[in-house]
Amino acid sequence: MIRWPADKKLTADAKTNLERFRQTAAAKALEAEPQTWHFQNWSWTTDAPVRLILENPDHHVLTFTLDEHGMWTMREANVSPHIRAYLPSEDEIAAKEAAQEDALHLR
């Protein structure tokens, strides 16, 4: 499903661009998906290139560009936040094991 911007927020050119995109097979395929896609950005003029950027809840981004010849292209990106998990190094693991062995010998 695509969450389209409200008409009252759009210029006449932006409405034209979104209507052109709405007629594409890509837009129809996204409309049929269970995930919701929302617009991050859209072109406010009809000058080429016309660029529309959509994102889903998993931070998957699709950029659709209409060139001066009327050809649509799509670029895909995953911009999900990356969280670095702490993984101990081999030296840290060995030091911890040695400390545990020392503690056992002290008892």
Side-chain angles (χ1 to χ4, degrees), residues 1-2 22 24-35 37:
M1 173 174 72
I2 297 177
R22 193 184 298 260
T24 66
K28 291 174 183 169
L30 291 177
E31 281 284 10
E33 285 189 9
Q35 281 196 348
W37 292 85

Side-chain angles (χ1 to χ4, degrees), residues 21 26 49-52 62-67 70-76:
F21 177 66
V50 170
R51 189 163 286 119
L52 309 170
L62 299 175
T63 302
F64 295 93
T65 305
L66 179 65
D67 67 17
M71 176 70 77
W72 284 100
T73 57
M74 181 187 83
R75 190 178 73 224
E76 188 174 354

Side-chain angles (χ1 to χ4, degrees), residues 28 45 59 67 90 93 107:
K28 291 174 183 169
T45 67
H59 304 287
D67 67 17
E90 289 180 15
I93 293 170
R107 289 186 187 175

Side-chain angles (χ1 to χ4, degrees), residues 29-88:
L30 291 177
E31 281 284 10
E33 285 189 9
Q35 281 196 348
T36 301
W37 292 85
H38 68 274
F39 281 90
Q40 282 187 334
N41 197 7
W42 58 84
S43 292
W44 288 82
T45 67
T46 54
D47 297 335
V50 170
R51 189 163 286 119
L52 309 170
I53 303 172
L54 293 99
E55 182 179 8
N56 72 8
D58 295 329
H59 304 287
H60 213 81
V61 174
L62 299 175
T63 302
F64 295 93
T65 305
L66 179 65
D67 67 17
E68 64 275 2
H69 305 293
M71 176 70 77
W72 284 100
T73 57
M74 181 187 83
R75 190 178 73 224
E76 188 174 354
N78 184 347
V79 294
S80 62
H82 298 284
I83 299 170
R84 185 177 189 281
Y86 173 74
L87 299 174

Side-chain angles (χ1 to χ4, degrees), residues 4-12 15 18 22:
W4 297 90
D7 277 351
K8 64 183 177 183
K9 294 183 178 182
L10 302 174
T11 63
K15 286 178 189 177
L18 290 175
R22 193 184 298 260

